[in-house]
Amino acid sequence: MPIICKWKKTEAGWKLWKKGKPKVCGEASTYKKAFEALWDSMGTNGISLLQEGPIEYDKPLPPSVEAEKYMNPELYLIKPDEKFGCMLPDEGEAFFKAGQCRTCQKPIGQRSQTPLMLTFVNKADIASVKIFPFAHRTVFSEDFLSLLTEQEKSLFDFRPVQYHSESKNRKCDYFELSCDSPFSFVGNSAYDSDGITCRECGHIDIKYYHINSPLERYLSSSDLPDPLPSCFPIGSHQMPVFCLTRQRWDEIRGHKFAKGLISRPVGVVPDDLCETDPDQHNIFGKCENCYGWRKPTDKAGKDWPRFSPPYKQKHIIKNFKWIQQAQQAGQLDIVRSTESYENLLELIQSDQTPKQDQRLSFRCTDCRILGYVRINAEEIVFSW
């Protein structure tokens, strides 16, 4: 289950604390430092984030400057932290009419009429059910569905599931979220997608990781209806997701019938930045080209990705210069940079720390896997 925490801004900066016992908190001038203090305090009190679950804030954190411009309207998707067991049918591909892709292991085609057969349940109101190695379905408790109006439920298709004898002690019945969504995830051309497109079946998983933004997924502003429903399905019919407005999330969050829910903000991108097929990784794993890329190393020659100032050190400069060497050899394409390669190299060699975050990103010329260098006043990170 998620660890529920609260937050507030103080004169000194940020204060974060866990609801309930044991009482633990973290205070610091920045959110990052306050979170690190909270993490340390939890560890001291025997709370493991790796074992007990992620942190969920009650109420959501205020959006960063980078994220705020994509949060109108303010939307959240909810996903499970818990996992239920499922008995696979004799034919492992029977959950979907066209089976599964043998390359990416994702479902193909429409959902069949074969119901999920749960073998393990607990007290969570939402849970993930694995049906393929890399594909899951989401189930909701009838208690959670009782929080929705009839009009809200009419926008979804909640299918009843079946139960194996091992799950007979369940608290209530569960229903699988299974519906077509007119709102697919899209790309944001302002950033580099770190998702995957399967060459075999065409499955597209668009996802972003940005150091200054919590937004991993985006919807197109022109796709959203007016007036906007309080909740609605997003994603695809193979992997539908429950989405709701901030106002509706505030009403449901913390309710006794909403246990095990994790929220993530969803960005809304304008038409001029919207991409339906962004440039992104198109195989699983690395290809022969990028498999041979030189890994970033420390002073002793050991693989290491991040370094603190000062940056004017031979191994750091050598790591950065490899990018241009690989580009000239046709191994990668530089796709985005806050400054030119030459200016960033000069910045590193001048032993100055940047006043603003700097980033240079590149992709493998074959499989398009993403790599980048991020430089700020605290660290330089080489990721590939």
Side-chain angles (χ1 to χ4, degrees), residues 37-75:
L38 176 66
W39 180 291
D40 291 341
S41 181
M42 285 184 175
T44 302
N45 285 271
I47 303 172
S48 171
L49 294 180
L50 299 178
Q51 294 179 359
E52 299 191 31
I55 284 180
E56 178 69 24
Y57 287 104
D58 179 20
K59 58 190 177 179
L61 291 168
S64 64
V65 174
E66 190 68 31
E68 189 173 17
K69 54 190 175 185
Y70 301 114
M71 294 187 67
N72 184 23
E74 191 172 351
L75 302 175

Short mmCIF file of all heavy atoms in Angstrom, two decimals, residues 37-75:
data_model
loop_
_atom_site.label_atom_id
_atom_site.label_comp_id
_atom_site.label_asym_id
_atom_site.label_seq_id
_atom_site.Cartn_x
_atom_site.Cartn_y
_atom_site.Cartn_z
N ALA A 37 15.52 14.14 3.61
CA ALA A 37 15.45 14.09 5.08
C ALA A 37 14.31 13.17 5.53
O ALA A 37 14.45 12.42 6.50
CB ALA A 37 15.26 15.49 5.64
N LEU A 38 13.17 13.22 4.83
CA LEU A 38 12.05 12.34 5.15
C LEU A 38 12.44 10.88 4.91
O LEU A 38 12.13 10.01 5.73
CB LEU A 38 10.84 12.71 4.28
CG LEU A 38 9.60 11.83 4.43
CD1 LEU A 38 9.01 11.97 5.83
CD2 LEU A 38 8.55 12.18 3.37
N TRP A 39 13.11 10.62 3.80
CA TRP A 39 13.57 9.26 3.48
C TRP A 39 14.48 8.73 4.59
O TRP A 39 14.33 7.60 5.06
CB TRP A 39 14.30 9.30 2.14
CG TRP A 39 14.85 7.99 1.67
CD1 TRP A 39 15.87 7.28 2.21
CD2 TRP A 39 14.38 7.21 0.56
NE1 TRP A 39 16.10 6.13 1.50
CE2 TRP A 39 15.20 6.05 0.49
CE3 TRP A 39 13.38 7.40 -0.39
CZ2 TRP A 39 15.02 5.09 -0.50
CZ3 TRP A 39 13.22 6.42 -1.37
CH2 TRP A 39 14.01 5.30 -1.42
N ASP A 40 15.45 9.57 5.01
CA ASP A 40 16.37 9.15 6.08
C ASP A 40 15.61 8.89 7.38
O ASP A 40 15.90 7.93 8.09
CB ASP A 40 17.43 10.22 6.31
CG ASP A 40 18.41 10.33 5.14
OD1 ASP A 40 18.49 9.38 4.35
OD2 ASP A 40 19.08 11.37 5.02
N SER A 41 14.63 9.75 7.69
CA SER A 41 13.85 9.58 8.91
C SER A 41 13.04 8.30 8.87
O SER A 41 12.91 7.60 9.88
CB SER A 41 12.93 10.80 9.11
OG SER A 41 12.18 10.67 10.30
N MET A 42 12.48 7.97 7.70
CA MET A 42 11.73 6.72 7.57
C MET A 42 12.63 5.52 7.78
O MET A 42 12.27 4.56 8.46
CB MET A 42 11.07 6.66 6.20
CG MET A 42 9.86 7.56 6.04
SD MET A 42 9.06 7.34 4.43
CE MET A 42 7.63 8.40 4.61
N GLY A 43 13.83 5.57 7.18
CA GLY A 43 14.77 4.47 7.35
C GLY A 43 15.17 4.27 8.80
O GLY A 43 15.27 3.15 9.29
N THR A 44 15.36 5.38 9.52
CA THR A 44 15.71 5.32 10.94
C THR A 44 14.60 4.68 11.76
O THR A 44 14.84 3.99 12.75
CB THR A 44 16.00 6.73 11.48
OG1 THR A 44 17.07 7.32 10.73
CG2 THR A 44 16.41 6.68 12.96
N ASN A 45 13.34 4.88 11.31
CA ASN A 45 12.19 4.33 12.03
C ASN A 45 11.70 3.01 11.46
O ASN A 45 10.58 2.58 11.75
CB ASN A 45 11.05 5.35 12.02
CG ASN A 45 11.29 6.50 12.98
OD1 ASN A 45 10.92 6.45 14.14
ND2 ASN A 45 11.92 7.57 12.48
N GLY A 46 12.53 2.38 10.62
CA GLY A 46 12.21 1.05 10.13
C GLY A 46 11.18 1.00 9.03
O GLY A 46 10.55 -0.03 8.81
N ILE A 47 10.98 2.12 8.30
CA ILE A 47 10.03 2.15 7.20
C ILE A 47 10.80 2.06 5.89
O ILE A 47 11.62 2.92 5.60
CB ILE A 47 9.18 3.44 7.23
CG1 ILE A 47 8.45 3.57 8.56
CG2 ILE A 47 8.18 3.46 6.07
CD1 ILE A 47 7.76 4.90 8.74
N SER A 48 10.53 1.03 5.10
CA SER A 48 11.23 0.84 3.83
C SER A 48 10.31 1.21 2.68
O SER A 48 9.27 0.59 2.47
CB SER A 48 11.68 -0.62 3.68
OG SER A 48 12.17 -0.84 2.38
N LEU A 49 10.69 2.25 1.92
CA LEU A 49 9.89 2.63 0.76
C LEU A 49 9.93 1.54 -0.31
O LEU A 49 8.99 1.37 -1.08
CB LEU A 49 10.41 3.94 0.17
CG LEU A 49 10.26 5.18 1.06
CD1 LEU A 49 10.81 6.40 0.33
CD2 LEU A 49 8.82 5.42 1.43
N LEU A 50 11.02 0.78 -0.36
CA LEU A 50 11.15 -0.27 -1.36
C LEU A 50 10.23 -1.44 -1.05
O LEU A 50 9.76 -2.12 -1.96
CB LEU A 50 12.61 -0.74 -1.45
CG LEU A 50 13.63 0.33 -1.86
CD1 LEU A 50 15.03 -0.27 -1.86
CD2 LEU A 50 13.30 0.90 -3.23
N GLN A 51 9.96 -1.67 0.23
CA GLN A 51 9.15 -2.82 0.62
C GLN A 51 7.68 -2.45 0.86
O GLN A 51 6.78 -3.21 0.54
CB GLN A 51 9.72 -3.47 1.89
CG GLN A 51 11.09 -4.10 1.68
CD GLN A 51 11.64 -4.71 2.96
OE1 GLN A 51 11.00 -4.66 4.00
NE2 GLN A 51 12.83 -5.29 2.87
N GLU A 52 7.44 -1.27 1.42
CA GLU A 52 6.08 -0.92 1.84
C GLU A 52 5.30 -0.15 0.80
O GLU A 52 4.08 -0.03 0.90
CB GLU A 52 6.14 -0.15 3.16
CG GLU A 52 6.76 -0.95 4.29
CD GLU A 52 6.56 -0.29 5.64
OE1 GLU A 52 5.54 0.38 5.82
OE2 GLU A 52 7.44 -0.45 6.50
N GLY A 53 5.96 0.41 -0.20
CA GLY A 53 5.21 1.10 -1.24
C GLY A 53 5.68 2.52 -1.46
O GLY A 53 6.44 3.08 -0.67
N PRO A 54 5.20 3.15 -2.53
CA PRO A 54 5.60 4.51 -2.86
C PRO A 54 4.90 5.53 -1.98
O PRO A 54 3.94 5.23 -1.28
CB PRO A 54 5.14 4.66 -4.32
CG PRO A 54 3.96 3.74 -4.40
CD PRO A 54 4.27 2.58 -3.51
N ILE A 55 5.39 6.75 -2.04
CA ILE A 55 4.75 7.85 -1.30
C ILE A 55 3.63 8.44 -2.14
O ILE A 55 3.78 8.68 -3.33
CB ILE A 55 5.79 8.93 -0.95
CG1 ILE A 55 6.67 8.46 0.22
CG2 ILE A 55 5.12 10.25 -0.60
CD1 ILE A 55 7.72 9.45 0.64
N GLU A 56 2.48 8.65 -1.50
CA GLU A 56 1.35 9.32 -2.12
C GLU A 56 0.98 10.51 -1.24
O GLU A 56 0.74 10.35 -0.04
CB GLU A 56 0.16 8.37 -2.25
CG GLU A 56 -1.09 8.99 -2.84
CD GLU A 56 -0.94 9.32 -4.31
OE1 GLU A 56 -0.10 8.70 -4.98
OE2 GLU A 56 -1.67 10.20 -4.79
N TYR A 57 0.99 11.71 -1.82
CA TYR A 57 0.73 12.91 -1.03
C TYR A 57 -0.76 13.22 -0.95
O TYR A 57 -1.49 13.09 -1.92
CB TYR A 57 1.47 14.11 -1.62
CG TYR A 57 2.96 14.07 -1.40
CD1 TYR A 57 3.83 13.72 -2.41
CD2 TYR A 57 3.50 14.37 -0.15
CE1 TYR A 57 5.20 13.68 -2.21
CE2 TYR A 57 4.86 14.33 0.07
CZ TYR A 57 5.71 13.99 -0.96
OH TYR A 57 7.06 13.93 -0.76
N ASP A 58 -1.18 13.62 0.21
CA ASP A 58 -2.54 14.06 0.47
C ASP A 58 -2.48 15.51 0.94
O ASP A 58 -2.20 15.79 2.08
CB ASP A 58 -3.18 13.19 1.56
CG ASP A 58 -4.60 13.61 1.89
OD1 ASP A 58 -5.21 14.29 1.04
OD2 ASP A 58 -5.07 13.28 3.00
N LYS A 59 -2.57 16.43 0.11
CA LYS A 59 -3.00 16.59 -1.26
C LYS A 59 -1.82 16.56 -2.22
O LYS A 59 -0.67 16.58 -1.78
CB LYS A 59 -3.69 17.95 -1.38
CG LYS A 59 -2.78 19.10 -0.97
CD LYS A 59 -3.53 20.42 -0.86
CE LYS A 59 -2.55 21.50 -0.37
NZ LYS A 59 -3.17 22.80 -0.26
N PRO A 60 -2.06 16.53 -3.58
CA PRO A 60 -0.95 16.48 -4.53
C PRO A 60 -0.01 17.67 -4.38
O PRO A 60 -0.44 18.77 -4.01
CB PRO A 60 -1.65 16.51 -5.89
CG PRO A 60 -3.00 15.96 -5.64
CD PRO A 60 -3.37 16.39 -4.25
N LEU A 61 1.25 17.44 -4.67
CA LEU A 61 2.24 18.52 -4.65
C LEU A 61 1.88 19.59 -5.68
O LEU A 61 1.29 19.28 -6.72
CB LEU A 61 3.63 17.98 -4.96
CG LEU A 61 4.29 17.08 -3.92
CD1 LEU A 61 5.51 16.41 -4.51
CD2 LEU A 61 4.66 17.88 -2.68
N PRO A 62 2.22 20.85 -5.41
CA PRO A 62 1.99 21.88 -6.43
C PRO A 62 2.87 21.61 -7.65
O PRO A 62 4.00 21.12 -7.51
CB PRO A 62 2.41 23.17 -5.71
CG PRO A 62 3.36 22.74 -4.64
CD PRO A 62 2.88 21.40 -4.20
N PRO A 63 2.37 21.88 -8.85
CA PRO A 63 3.17 21.60 -10.05
C PRO A 63 4.40 22.49 -10.12
O PRO A 63 4.39 23.63 -9.69
CB PRO A 63 2.20 21.89 -11.20
CG PRO A 63 1.21 22.85 -10.62
CD PRO A 63 1.07 22.47 -9.17
N SER A 64 5.47 21.94 -10.68
CA SER A 64 6.67 22.73 -10.91
C SER A 64 6.41 23.74 -12.02
O SER A 64 5.41 23.65 -12.75
CB SER A 64 7.83 21.82 -11.31
OG SER A 64 7.55 21.19 -12.55
N VAL A 65 7.30 24.71 -12.15
CA VAL A 65 7.16 25.71 -13.21
C VAL A 65 7.14 25.03 -14.56
O VAL A 65 6.38 25.39 -15.46
CB VAL A 65 8.30 26.75 -13.13
CG1 VAL A 65 8.25 27.70 -14.31
CG2 VAL A 65 8.24 27.51 -11.81
N GLU A 66 7.97 23.99 -14.72
CA GLU A 66 8.05 23.27 -15.99
C GLU A 66 6.76 22.52 -16.29
O GLU A 66 6.32 22.45 -17.44
CB GLU A 66 9.23 22.29 -15.95
CG GLU A 66 9.56 21.65 -17.27
CD GLU A 66 10.12 22.63 -18.28
OE1 GLU A 66 10.78 23.61 -17.87
OE2 GLU A 66 9.89 22.42 -19.48
N ALA A 67 6.13 21.96 -15.25
CA ALA A 67 4.92 21.15 -15.46
C ALA A 67 3.66 21.99 -15.53
O ALA A 67 2.69 21.62 -16.20
CB ALA A 67 4.79 20.13 -14.34
N GLU A 68 3.64 23.13 -14.86
CA GLU A 68 2.42 23.92 -14.71
C GLU A 68 1.81 24.32 -16.05
O GLU A 68 0.59 24.34 -16.22
CB GLU A 68 2.70 25.16 -13.87
CG GLU A 68 1.46 25.94 -13.48
CD GLU A 68 1.77 27.07 -12.52
OE1 GLU A 68 2.96 27.45 -12.41
OE2 GLU A 68 0.83 27.56 -11.87
N LYS A 69 2.66 24.61 -17.05
CA LYS A 69 2.15 25.05 -18.35
C LYS A 69 1.41 23.95 -19.09
O LYS A 69 0.73 24.22 -20.09
CB LYS A 69 3.29 25.60 -19.20
CG LYS A 69 4.46 24.68 -19.38
CD LYS A 69 5.64 25.40 -20.03
CE LYS A 69 6.89 24.53 -20.11
NZ LYS A 69 8.05 25.26 -20.64
N TYR A 70 1.56 22.69 -18.64
CA TYR A 70 0.86 21.57 -19.28
C TYR A 70 -0.23 20.98 -18.37
O TYR A 70 -0.69 19.87 -18.62
CB TYR A 70 1.86 20.47 -19.64
CG TYR A 70 2.95 20.92 -20.57
CD1 TYR A 70 4.28 20.97 -20.15
CD2 TYR A 70 2.66 21.31 -21.87
CE1 TYR A 70 5.29 21.39 -21.01
CE2 TYR A 70 3.67 21.74 -22.74
CZ TYR A 70 4.98 21.77 -22.30
OH TYR A 70 5.98 22.19 -23.15
N MET A 71 -0.63 21.71 -17.35
CA MET A 71 -1.62 21.18 -16.40
C MET A 71 -2.88 22.04 -16.36
O MET A 71 -3.38 22.41 -15.30
CB MET A 71 -0.99 21.02 -15.02
CG MET A 71 0.12 19.97 -15.00
SD MET A 71 0.75 19.59 -13.35
CE MET A 71 -0.67 18.80 -12.60
N ASN A 72 -3.39 22.35 -17.52
CA ASN A 72 -4.67 23.05 -17.65
C ASN A 72 -5.48 22.37 -18.75
O ASN A 72 -5.16 22.53 -19.93
CB ASN A 72 -4.45 24.53 -17.97
CG ASN A 72 -5.75 25.30 -18.01
OD1 ASN A 72 -6.75 24.89 -17.41
ND2 ASN A 72 -5.76 26.41 -18.73
N PRO A 73 -6.48 21.55 -18.36
CA PRO A 73 -6.97 21.29 -17.01
C PRO A 73 -6.03 20.38 -16.22
O PRO A 73 -5.17 19.71 -16.80
CB PRO A 73 -8.31 20.59 -17.26
CG PRO A 73 -8.11 19.89 -18.57
CD PRO A 73 -7.25 20.82 -19.38
N GLU A 74 -6.21 20.35 -14.91
CA GLU A 74 -5.38 19.54 -14.03
C GLU A 74 -5.99 18.14 -13.93
O GLU A 74 -7.05 17.95 -13.34
CB GLU A 74 -5.26 20.18 -12.65
CG GLU A 74 -4.21 19.54 -11.76
CD GLU A 74 -3.98 20.31 -10.47
OE1 GLU A 74 -4.51 21.43 -10.34
OE2 GLU A 74 -3.28 19.78 -9.59
N LEU A 75 -5.31 17.16 -14.52
CA LEU A 75 -5.81 15.79 -14.60
C LEU A 75 -4.85 14.83 -13.91
O LEU A 75 -3.64 15.07 -13.85
CB LEU A 75 -5.97 15.36 -16.06
CG LEU A 75 -6.90 16.20 -16.94
CD1 LEU A 75 -6.86 15.71 -18.38
CD2 LEU A 75 -8.32 16.17 -16.40
#
